Amino acid sequence: MVYAVFAPLIFAILIPFLSRIKQRIHTGWLILPVPLLIFIYFLQFVGANFETKMQSTTWIPTLNISLDFYLDGLSLLFALLISGIGTLVVLYSIYYLNKEEQLGHFYTYLYIFMASMLGVVLSDNVFVLYTFWEFTSLSSFLLIGYWHHREKSRYGALKSMLITVLGGFSLLGGLILLTIETGTTSIREMVAMTDVIINSEYFIAILIFLLLGAFTKSAQFPFHIWLPDAMEAPTPVSAYLHSATMVKAGIYLMARFSPIFNEVPLFFILLSIFGLVTLAWASYMAVRQTDLKGILAFSTISQLGMIMAMLGFGTTYGVFAAVFHILNHATFKGSLFMVAGIVDHETGTRDIRRLGGLMTFMPISATLAVFGTFSMAGVPLPFLNGFYSKEMFFQSSLGLEGSGTFVEGLITAIPIIAVVGSIFTFIYSMYLFFGTFRGGYKEDQLPTKPHEAPIMMLVPPAILVLGVIVIGLFPNIFNNALITHSADAIYGDTVTKDIKYWHGLDSRAFQMSLAVVVLGVVLYLTKDKWSKIYSVLPGSLSLNRVYDWIVEKIESVSNKITTSYMTGSLRLYMMLILTAIILMTAGTLLYSGGMNFNTVDLAPITAQEVIVAIVMAIAAIGTTVARNRIAAILILGVVGYGLAILFVMYSAPDLALTQLIVETVTVVLFLLCFYHLPNLSSEGQSVAKTGSNILVSIGYGLLMFVIGISAYNSRFAETISSYFMENTYEEGGGHNAVNVILVDFRGIDTLFEVAVLFGAALGIYAMIKLRSNKGAK
Amino acid sequence: MNNLAILPIILPILASVIVAFFPGKLNIVRPLSKIFMVVFLGVMLFITFKVYSDGMIVLQGGGWDAPFGISLVLDYLSIILVLTTYVIATAAVFYAPHSLSDQQEKFYFYTFFFLLISGVSGAFITGDLFNLFVFFEVLLMASYGLIVLGNGKAQLRESLKYVLINLFSSMLFVTTVAFIYSLVGTVNMAHIAERVDSIPAEDQGIVTVIGILLFFVFAVKAAIFPLYYWLPNSYVVPNPVVSALFGALLTKVGIYSIFRVFTLIFVHDTGVTHQLFIWLAMLTMIFGVIGALSTNNVKLIITYNIIPAIGFILMGIGLFNEDGLSGSIYYLMHDMVIKAALFLLIGALIVAAGTKDLSQMSGVIQRFPLLGWLFFIGSLVLAGIPPFSGFIGKLLLLRGALDQGEILLTVVALLSSLLILLSMIRIFIRGFWGEKMEGMTTNPSKVHALTIPATFLISISIYLGVGAETVLPYIDQISSYLLERTEYISSVLKG
């Protein structure tokens, strides 16, 4: 199995090299055997006596991440779909994309996707699953953006990525919570610990995180909006990723975890509500579309909603029907996408308003489409698999049990919504077929003259249609070998079902089907009369607009916020920084009780000290209000000399000397520089601004003062300075403790301060030199 | 063998001085610098190996035992960051000649470059709070030299703000060190930690306050909300190779210092300090990513993306559990590499497209596919998509967060990741995709030369993700060692 997952990945890496020889053969042919072999490999497991299989390879054991591939009925069904439809899609794409396209890119993305999707359905380790999950989103992004010179492709690619990766991140959150609660990263072990999860205090969070992941991926309302725009991808991609496989990853996830959530009412409520709303809304919206692929996209969304709802019902019947429909949907929808691609390819347009009467030109395609659309509509004919799953859907929507007014109300509403959704499904199916292949032929509106597609292009959809018919004729054909195992895996215990064509006239499900057909026909024929309703609902209430608004706003609001404070004004920055420091430090000071303000321990203050301090304070304030640079620097000098006097008073003559020299040199240097500078200009600030500046300055000063005193009063240990005094002469060989500290005890400090000077000197030299060089030029 | 501890700081200082003797002779300085860097990198690899096989190395400067002299400490954490620094510097030294003009190189680029490496490494390995201040000065002085390199008007304007705000923080630093000295009478970090431990719980209040003050000192350098205003513009104006060094190293020194002191010294009132970090981490992520989405200047987008990454690292410190700390360290390491890589790539993109303005770019990937795909992978790495390096750190961080029931923090972190991805993928979609633009460079070989060092760094990022198992056990070792604290304290003070 490991090889099955990684083979496409390895080929994906090789493809760029393989595609160099595309002059002779279409790259598709070279790599077609890969999915085919995988399909055959998985086919061998199909059978009544299927047994689960597990293969492990370690990867990051420290994080409990290992490549555990686990094959059970559910994974097998998906693996077969992925490799089987993958084979057909690659075959189809050989004729769909011609050699001038960048085939290397196309197949690389496609095979990355194939590997990732197989990885998703086979991984037992949640983080490996997550890794592959993100890679399906990314490969989908690249495939939608395949024709990236088109604006719409880029738009669709970004949209799909944002929405699915949003879900992916949410899924990650849920998975981490699950691993924390259960202490394992294996899904099977989690299932075994259902009680722990359900009783966890984070249960709701887990559920919501996971649902968000599943709903975004499987395009459930209101996250479905990315799927129609994903139709910008080449049609083989739409058939493969955006109908048969990737969009079912969310379904898969829910199915995989449903043994855990099955008994939880909230799971039932959320899944069935979102599923049914998606079903109804998307089928309603599909009727409005004019692009063939647009119709199919909404149709896919609505069918996904239906499967989601059935999983939510959580009954044996519902689960079985869901699995059955996953298979059926893949067959008829895959074939319909391929036919839509053929129509596009051979007529040059997918706009259904310009199409019509193609039956005569493309009889084979039309035949394939009949089966596909009628099966999708659930027309009660015994050779259409869609009918069976539709019946089973109705059947499963009936007879649900639950308690509580809300749940009971929901249970009553479910069959009604199911019927409404199905009516619209019927309408768009008819619309799709009759609008394209029947009616008047509009020669003048078609870019090219239509003709039937090459035979090899028709083979893949034909094979899928064959599947539709075979399952239709023998609905139980795969039950024991495949579907039951799948349903088993989801439901957690053995599910056996026998699918019957005829339930009798008094069967409620049959009556519902009948109602759908009758109302569907009536509404389809009168479509022109009632289609005005779309200007009322959704009217201007479009979710796409919400998305566009958000994306647009993210940029403009970000810009507004950022430019509001990133003004380039140093004054503002300092103001904000100081305010933050004052607020948070003062807050901590009060909260943690660190204030230790008293003057008991302080040395007595002499009059001289007070005078010097006052002079310094006045000078410091004076600097800020001076209008002239020279005056400012001279006043600042007073502060420096005042400090020197303080040093003298506290018997530190060497420091005082140093301070005097530094101060003098600085003042002189400043004066020299100022000669070249313009005069200070008045800032012309408002009073309020000046006031708040003063406030912040005082606040900061006060804060430092209080902390300083408090720190002084809270001496918890003797300083280490006595060591220096004692050892300066003995060990350091010098008489001046300060000197010995500088050059010996803490010599590294000094060495690197010298390095700082070295850097400063070179920096200034470089600046001046570079400038004079520029001047010379 | 203790003397090994001086090598990470003394080797680059020597190199710095040596290359200063040949300012104009680029044909000597360039190969010499490359040789130096490669050799140094080898030495650091050797030292890392030694530390992990034989335990941490402590050098008591000048033979004066702690706490009286200055201790240089190569512990599991600092050596790994030193090694990462040298990896990035090696990539940068190969990138520089293609990115800088001859004149910029001549004006002591390599001297400042080595000085910066020395300052950064020193900040990582010093065990002395005041000495940390000195190394901050060294790296700041080197960065002043690098930022004004080329002497453009914008550079001078932005460097002034940069210098002033950093001076302010240095001043606050010295003040805070004085406060600490007043409390416990020592500046050796292990010694401070030991003495703070013995302060009775009811008297810890003032320690917490001073801790917060020290946090702000580092927070200014680390660019944590709301103190990062100096960062965006001063990182945008210099040459990409300088931005890469700044983005990868400078803010990381700040966050490392927070890491060090808040796992070693100020651990007694985590309800106040570390809870504050969690809130600030969230705000840092949000505002950083908002900044990244606010502009069309591709380099500014990368620059703003430094900020949310700091938020992620701070988040782990705030969580203060084993997963959180491991996550922070992994994220720190990963972010150093990927930020450098992205700045280098953006430099190449700007050369390729001939503009910084995203709205004027398109279709660059058609001429430079390698650059495009590296950038794409880089974006995924940055957003924390598996199996790349960002994911490992993020996974650990989120696990640490959810373990403590921090749902809001998790949601903020996840949403920020999404927006980080959006900010990056915008560049990919608008700049690399689309119709081939007019006015692309006429000198593609230059772009290729710029792409190679970035390839090296991106490969490391991929390796740190896919091959996480080869690194992760060591990181876990670090975090349990940090939480334990005693090994550090006793190793430094054993003399």
Side-chain angles (χ1 to χ4, degrees):
Chain A
M1 272 191 286
V2 181
Y3 298 112
V5 175
F6 284 98
L9 209 55
I10 293 163
F11 272 84
I13 296 164
L14 292 177
I15 285 166
F17 303 101
L18 287 177
S19 63
R20 297 269 154 87
I21 43 174
K22 67 184 164 194
Q23 275 75 13
R24 295 183 45 232
I25 327 168
H26 194 288
T27 317
W29 286 118
L30 296 173
I31 53 166
L32 182 62
V34 179
L36 188 61
L37 286 172
I38 297 174
F39 182 71
I40 294 168
Y41 170 78
F42 282 113
L43 212 52
Q44 61 164 325
F45 296 105
V46 177
N49 47 3
F50 168 76
E51 277 178 16
T52 59
K53 200 168 176 315
M54 176 94 179
Q55 277 178 7
S56 291
T57 316
T58 53
W59 180 21
I60 313 179
T62 315
L63 292 172
N64 289 324
I65 301 180
S66 52
L67 298 169
D68 297 333
F69 292 119
Y70 175 67
L71 186 74
D72 66 355
L74 184 62
S75 333
L76 182 62
L77 172 70
F78 272 95
L80 285 170
L81 281 179
I82 295 160
S83 52
I85 298 192
T87 313
L88 298 177
V89 161
V90 172
L91 181 62
Y92 178 80
S93 70
I94 294 171
Y95 293 89
Y96 187 84
L97 293 171
N98 63 40
K99 285 191 207 168
E100 278 71 49
E101 301 268 6
Q102 289 200 303
L103 293 175
H105 287 198
F106 180 78
Y107 287 112
T108 305
Y109 309 154
L110 199 71
Y111 275 50
I112 291 177
F113 168 76
M114 195 183 287
S116 318
M117 193 64 207
L118 282 169
V120 167
V121 300
L122 288 170
S123 300
D124 183 49
N125 187 298
V126 287
F127 294 119
V128 177
L129 182 147
Y130 171 70
T131 305
F132 286 122
W133 178 283
E134 291 293 26
F135 266 81
T136 58
S137 298
L138 293 172
S139 46
S140 157
F141 163 80
L142 291 171
L143 283 165
I144 297 169
Y146 177 61
W147 286 312
H148 57 72
H149 52 272
R150 295 184 191 166
E151 173 65 36
K152 286 180 89 175
S153 294
R154 299 200 294 270
Y155 172 80
L158 180 64
K159 196 172 187 177
S160 85
M161 178 184 233
L162 277 182
I163 294 178
T164 54
V165 173
L166 167 75
F169 283 159
S170 161
L171 173 65
L172 176 64
L175 295 177
I176 296 176
L177 266 179
L178 275 175
T179 55
I180 290 175
E181 293 300 307
T182 59
T184 173
T185 51
S186 152
I187 298 175
R188 286 188 310 148
E189 286 172 27
M190 284 175 187
V191 170
M193 297 168 79
T194 301
D195 296 341
V196 178
I197 297 167
I198 291 182
N199 298 320
S200 151
E201 60 174 314
Y202 300 119
F203 176 72
I204 305 274
I206 294 175
L207 187 62
I208 290 171
F209 274 139
L210 291 189
L211 287 187
L212 193 58
F215 286 174
T216 48
K217 196 78 161 186
S218 284
Q220 297 295 292
F221 184 89
F223 305 107
H224 64 277
I225 49 169
W226 67 268
L227 193 58
D229 286 302
M231 294 299 130
E232 289 304 320
T235 302
V237 173
S238 312
Y240 190 32
L241 276 72
H242 304 129
S243 107
T245 56
M246 185 183 101
V247 287
K248 293 206 178 101
I251 304 272
Y252 169 81
L253 188 78
M254 287 296 107
R256 190 43 95 199
F257 281 97
S258 77
I260 298 175
F261 298 125
N262 218 338
E263 299 300 318
V264 184
L266 188 64
F267 182 70
F268 160 68
I269 294 171
L270 289 175
L271 239 61
S272 42
I273 289 181
F274 276 94
L276 288 171
V277 168
T278 308
L279 164 68
W281 179 254
S283 58
Y284 170 74
M285 289 296 287
V287 180
R288 188 174 85 137
Q289 305 303 312
T290 52
D291 176 3
L292 287 185
K293 281 174 79 177
I295 301 174
L296 289 172
F298 275 101
S299 148
T300 304
I301 297 168
S302 97
Q303 304 273 328
L304 291 168
M306 172 173 151
I307 302 175
M308 200 59 101
M310 286 194 277
L311 282 175
F313 297 161
T315 55
T316 45
Y317 203 91
V319 166
F320 187 82
V323 174
F324 188 53
H325 195 62
I326 288 172
L327 181 64
N328 292 342
H329 177 249
T331 53
F332 65 70
K333 189 57 63 64
S335 67
L336 283 177
F337 263 111
M338 289 180 184
V339 170
I342 290 172
V343 170
D344 183 17
H345 210 252
E346 309 305 338
T347 64
T349 180
R350 296 195 312 246
D351 189 336
I352 199 162
R353 290 167 300 187
R354 295 160 74 179
L355 295 166
L358 293 180
M359 185 86 127
T360 34
F361 302 95
M362 310 171 77
I364 306 174
S365 304
T367 316
L368 295 174
V370 168
F371 285 103
T373 49
F374 280 58
S375 177
M376 179 158 77
V379 175
L381 291 169
F383 50 84
L384 296 175
N385 59 3
F387 165 67
Y388 294 95
S389 38
K390 181 64 53 78
E391 277 265 289
M392 290 167 76
F393 171 54
F394 288 150
Q395 190 71 48
S396 66
S397 73
L398 297 164
L400 292 166
E401 286 167 9
S403 52
T405 24
F406 181 73
V407 174
E408 278 163 13
L410 182 62
I411 287 171
T412 337
I414 285 173
I416 301 167
I417 306 173
V419 169
V420 172
S422 303
I423 292 172
F424 281 100
T425 307
F426 186 88
I427 300 171
Y428 71 67
S429 302
M430 296 304 118
Y431 171 53
L432 187 65
F433 176 72
F434 288 102
T436 311
F437 292 101
R438 299 307 304 267
Y441 169 54
K442 301 158 196 162
E443 189 179 8
D444 50 325
Q445 296 205 15
L446 295 182
T448 54
K449 188 162 165 49
H451 53 80
E452 189 56 273
I455 187 79
M456 286 305 283
M457 206 165 171
L458 290 166
V459 168
I463 292 174
L464 289 172
V465 165
L466 198 67
V468 171
I469 299 170
V470 170
I471 299 174
L473 288 175
F474 313 102
N476 297 312
I477 186 166
F478 296 124
N479 276 6
N480 286 331
L482 186 60
I483 295 174
T484 317
H485 300 308
S486 253
D488 270 0
I490 302 174
Y491 197 71
D493 65 87
T494 303
V495 180
T496 338
K497 275 281 164 265
D498 205 17
I499 307 165
K500 282 191 292 187
Y501 172 60
W502 183 246
H503 289 280
L505 269 178
D506 51 350
S507 144
R508 284 278 299 282
F510 185 73
Q511 290 164 1
M512 285 160 84
S513 281
L514 217 57
V516 167
V517 175
V518 173
L519 281 172
V521 170
V522 172
L523 283 174
Y524 172 65
L525 294 174
T526 57
K527 179 170 168 284
D528 292 340
K529 298 209 168 62
W530 55 267
S531 58
K532 287 189 197 75
I533 190 171
Y534 286 103
S535 58
V536 183
L537 186 77
S540 58
L541 278 171
S542 151
L543 284 165
N544 277 318
R545 286 205 194 166
V546 176
Y547 166 85
D548 291 340
W549 184 82
I550 291 174
V551 171
E552 196 270 326
K553 279 291 166 195
I554 282 181
E555 285 193 21
S556 61
V557 170
S558 300
N559 189 281
K560 260 196 202 127
I561 293 177
T562 306
T563 47
S564 74
Y565 66 84
M566 293 301 297
T567 54
S569 155
L570 185 62
R571 222 169 261 233
L572 178 68
Y573 297 167
M574 281 311 298
M575 176 86 184
L576 291 169
I577 290 175
L578 289 177
T579 313
I581 294 180
I582 294 169
L583 288 179
M584 287 186 236
T585 316
T588 317
L589 191 66
L590 298 175
Y591 179 79
S592 68
M595 188 110 92
N596 186 1
F597 190 85
N598 64 60
T599 50
V600 180
D601 289 342
L602 299 184
I605 301 168
T606 62
Q608 297 97 306
E609 282 167 357
V610 174
I611 293 168
V612 174
I614 290 174
V615 170
M616 282 173 75
I618 292 173
I621 295 168
T623 316
T624 61
V625 294
R627 286 271 173 273
N628 179 302
R629 281 183 200 274
I630 295 181
I633 197 62
L634 288 176
I635 303 172
L636 188 62
V638 175
V639 181
Y641 292 119
L643 190 61
I645 295 174
L646 282 182
F647 281 139
V648 173
M649 287 177 176
Y650 299 141
S651 52
D654 44 353
L655 282 184
L657 270 179
T658 319
Q659 176 68 28
L660 278 177
I661 293 169
V662 168
E663 204 54 46
T664 311
V665 172
T666 330
V667 170
V668 171
L669 278 179
F670 268 130
L671 288 175
L672 280 176
C673 295
F674 285 178
Y675 177 74
H676 298 282
L677 292 177
N679 267 335
L680 277 173
S681 53
S682 172
E683 295 285 334
Q685 288 194 86
S686 66
V687 181
K689 232 178 187 170
T690 315
S692 62
N693 283 353
I694 291 175
L695 211 65
V696 168
S697 307
I698 293 177
Y700 186 71
L702 209 63
L703 181 74
M704 285 297 141
F705 177 65
V706 171
I707 296 177
I709 300 279
S710 300
Y712 180 81
N713 282 327
S714 316
R715 178 162 307 233
F716 297 108
E718 278 309 301
T719 63
I720 55 170
S721 55
S722 57
Y723 174 89
F724 298 118
M725 299 308 286
E726 286 156 16
N727 292 293
T728 294
Y729 183 71
E730 297 282 309
E731 303 279 333
H735 290 284
N736 183 325
V738 173
N739 288 353
V740 176
I741 289 175
L742 284 180
V743 299
D744 198 343
F745 291 121
R746 300 186 63 91
I748 296 179
D749 279 348
T750 313
L751 174 64
F752 282 89
E753 285 296 353
V754 172
V756 172
L757 287 181
F758 163 71
L762 276 187
I764 293 164
Y765 173 72
M767 267 168 77
I768 295 169
K769 194 74 195 286
L770 206 59
R771 165 156 293 209
S772 59
N773 276 7
K774 266 184 194 161
K777 269 176 206 166
Chain B
M1 289 315 270
N2 285 358
N3 285 331
L4 284 180
I6 195 93
L7 293 180
I9 52 177
I10 212 71
L11 289 178
I13 279 284
L14 287 176
S16 167
V17 174
I18 292 170
V19 294
F21 282 113
F22 313 99
K25 305 216 166 42
L26 288 181
N27 52 354
I28 298 176
V29 174
R30 277 179 191 162
L32 200 60
S33 303
K34 286 177 187 167
I35 293 167
F36 278 149
M37 260 339 289
V38 173
V39 173
F40 294 173
L41 182 61
V43 173
M44 296 311 138
L45 271 170
F46 170 73
I47 298 179
T48 311
F49 173 74
K50 283 299 280 186
V51 169
Y52 275 93
S53 57
D54 303 345
M56 53 195 283
I57 301 173
V58 180
L59 175 68
Q60 310 289 5
W64 301 104
D65 279 338
F68 307 109
I70 291 171
S71 312
L72 297 177
V73 188
L74 282 180
D75 69 344
Y76 307 114
L77 175 59
S78 55
I79 187 60
I80 238 174
L81 297 177
V82 167
L83 182 67
T84 314
T85 303
Y86 276 80
V87 167
I88 290 158
T90 310
V93 85
F94 282 89
Y95 186 92
H98 306 285
S99 181
L100 293 161
S101 71
D102 282 1
Q103 191 157 52
Q104 287 171 323
E105 275 181 284
K106 278 179 190 163
F107 280 98
Y108 304 106
F109 167 77
Y110 293 100
T111 302
F112 291 124
F113 166 78
F114 282 116
L115 200 60
L116 185 78
I117 305 301
S118 175
V120 170
S121 309
F124 286 143
I125 68 178
T126 185
D128 187 287
L129 205 54
F130 187 80
N131 191 235
L132 180 61
F133 166 77
V134 172
F135 281 111
F136 272 168
E137 294 294 290
V138 175
L139 68 90
L140 284 175
M141 186 45 75
S143 68
Y144 301 155
L146 289 171
I147 203 173
V148 295
L149 209 67
N151 231 358
K153 204 170 182 179
Q155 277 166 296
L156 287 173
R157 188 184 59 229
E158 294 310 324
S159 67
L160 182 68
K161 292 172 201 161
Y162 174 79
V163 169
L164 285 177
I165 291 184
N166 274 299
L167 267 182
F168 163 74
S169 117
S170 299
M171 228 163 61
L172 186 60
F173 194 178
V174 179
T175 318
T176 313
V177 172
F179 290 160
I180 289 176
Y181 189 76
S182 155
L183 279 187
V184 290
T186 182
V187 289
N188 181 296
M189 292 201 268
H191 201 212
I192 298 174
E194 196 185 50
R195 288 190 163 182
V196 165
D197 279 354
S198 62
I199 297 176
E202 67 269 19
D203 292 337
Q204 288 281 353
I206 184 72
V207 179
T208 309
V209 173
I210 291 175
I212 291 289
L213 218 46
L214 195 58
F215 166 75
F216 280 115
V217 170
F218 300 138
V220 169
K221 298 187 192 295
I224 288 167
F225 178 87
L227 311 159
Y228 56 74
Y229 314 105
W230 54 272
L231 179 134
N233 287 322
S234 60
Y235 279 26
V236 161
V237 288
N239 190 278
V241 66
V242 176
S243 307
L245 289 169
F246 285 13
L249 304 177
L250 293 193
T251 48
K252 305 306 184 295
V253 172
I255 195 81
Y256 162 81
S257 308
I258 295 176
F259 209 109
R260 184 58 91 192
V261 298
F262 282 92
T263 55
L264 183 65
I265 301 172
F266 303 103
V267 291
H268 297 280
D269 203 357
T270 50
V272 176
T273 50
H274 293 62
Q275 196 58 43
L276 176 71
F277 296 169
I278 287 181
W279 283 103
L280 289 179
M282 283 195 258
L283 290 168
T284 307
M285 288 178 203
I286 295 168
F287 277 86
V289 84
I290 283 177
L293 289 165
S294 70
T295 171
N296 266 332
N297 178 336
V298 287
K299 205 168 161 195
L300 196 55
I301 294 175
I302 308 289
T303 308
Y304 268 115
N305 265 315
I306 294 173
I307 299 169
I310 295 291
F312 274 97
I313 301 165
L314 185 64
M315 160 182 171
I317 307 174
L319 292 168
F320 203 55
N321 54 20
E322 196 157 329
D323 275 341
L325 291 183
S326 294
S328 274
I329 299 166
Y330 213 93
Y331 207 93
L332 178 58
M333 214 167 66
H334 133 83
D335 196 59
M336 288 169 81
V337 176
I338 191 64
K339 277 297 142 54
L342 285 172
F343 272 112
L344 297 185
L345 285 172
I346 279 294
L349 172 64
I350 292 170
V351 170
T355 170
K356 283 180 197 165
D357 188 351
L358 190 53
S359 58
Q360 314 215 329
M361 275 182 209
S362 74
V364 176
I365 203 167
Q366 297 184 32
R367 260 195 64 200
F368 301 103
L370 178 64
L371 179 63
W373 292 118
L374 284 175
F375 186 83
F376 184 68
I377 295 175
S379 309
L380 303 184
V381 175
L382 194 67
I385 303 277
F388 305 117
S389 58
F391 173 68
I392 307 288
K394 200 170 80 177
L395 176 62
L396 283 164
L397 285 170
L398 292 179
R399 221 165 68 172
L402 288 172
D403 210 19
Q404 300 187 356
E406 296 273 2
I407 301 269
L408 177 66
L409 176 63
T410 308
V411 171
V412 169
L414 288 170
L415 275 179
S416 315
S417 299
L418 181 71
L419 294 179
I420 289 172
L421 184 66
L422 172 63
S423 73
M424 298 298 293
I425 229 63
R426 270 174 70 213
I427 302 182
F428 186 73
I429 290 180
R430 297 189 198 167
F432 285 100
W433 274 1
E435 298 285 356
K436 214 188 270 188
M437 64 183 284
E438 301 282 315
M440 258 195 265
T441 178
T442 48
N443 187 3
S445 64
K446 184 173 174 187
V447 177
H448 297 313
L450 291 173
T451 313
I452 293 166
T455 316
F456 169 64
L457 292 178
I458 292 277
S459 317
I460 292 178
S461 285
I462 296 176
Y463 177 76
L464 282 178
V466 179
E469 188 55 30
T470 53
V471 186
L472 207 51
Y474 300 108
I475 306 288
D476 279 348
Q477 188 183 342
I478 301 175
S479 58
S480 51
Y481 148 86
L482 287 176
L483 285 171
E484 193 60 30
R485 296 170 66 233
T486 47
E487 189 178 347
Y488 184 94
I489 297 176
S490 62
S491 303
V492 175
L493 296 179
K494 70 180 166 214

